[in-house]
Amino acid sequence: MHDPMSAGRRLALRATVFQAGATALVALALLPHGMPSALGALVGGGALVAGSAVAALLALGGGVQLAGAAIARLLAGVVLKWVVVLAVFVSGMAGFGLPPLPMLAGLLAATLAFVLAQILKR
């Protein structure tokens, strides 16, 4: 029997793994430019990985629901995802002094990996 909830969880896990891998690759590529740059890429991509994981837990954690409730959970998940990303970015730059460009590079890599995971979901 086909369970749509478990399919959604598998897709969310795959996307998270793709995002983490892309983030690690960018961090490794930036390592020759110094540890702060590599760490910035890890934090930037890690912010999206964490945000996506939180969004998936919120959106997929409620089981089968009425359409209105399911859409509300999805929207709340997306909003919470970007709140997490913004909070991590502000912490990384203001609190730890990480360079913003590598953080954006990590975020971009994680975003593109998320899109790739959606395309390759079959």
Side-chain angles (χ1 to χ4, degrees):
M1 181 173 179
H2 179 65
D3 179 14
M5 290 304 290
S6 63
R9 287 185 187 101
R10 282 192 306 274
L11 183 57
L13 178 61
R14 178 189 310 218
T16 303
V17 168
F18 273 48
Q19 289 175 314
T23 298
L25 288 176
V26 171
L28 285 173
L30 290 177
L31 198 53
H33 297 282
M35 189 58 86
S37 291
L39 188 57
L42 281 176
V43 169
L48 192 65
V49 171
S52 294
V54 166
L57 286 172
L58 182 61
L60 300 173
V64 178
Q65 300 176 352
L66 295 174
I71 290 173
R73 289 177 73 85
L74 284 171
L75 290 175
V78 169
V79 169
L80 189 56
K81 169 184 177 175
W82 289 106
V83 166
V84 168
V85 170
L86 184 62
V88 171
F89 255 73
V90 168
S91 299
M93 287 188 297
F96 296 100
L98 295 174
L101 217 50
M103 288 179 69
L104 286 173
L107 178 70
L108 178 63
T111 301
L112 292 175
F114 182 82
V115 172
L116 182 63
Q118 302 303 312
I119 291 170
L120 299 177
K121 67 182 175 186
R122 298 177 213 278

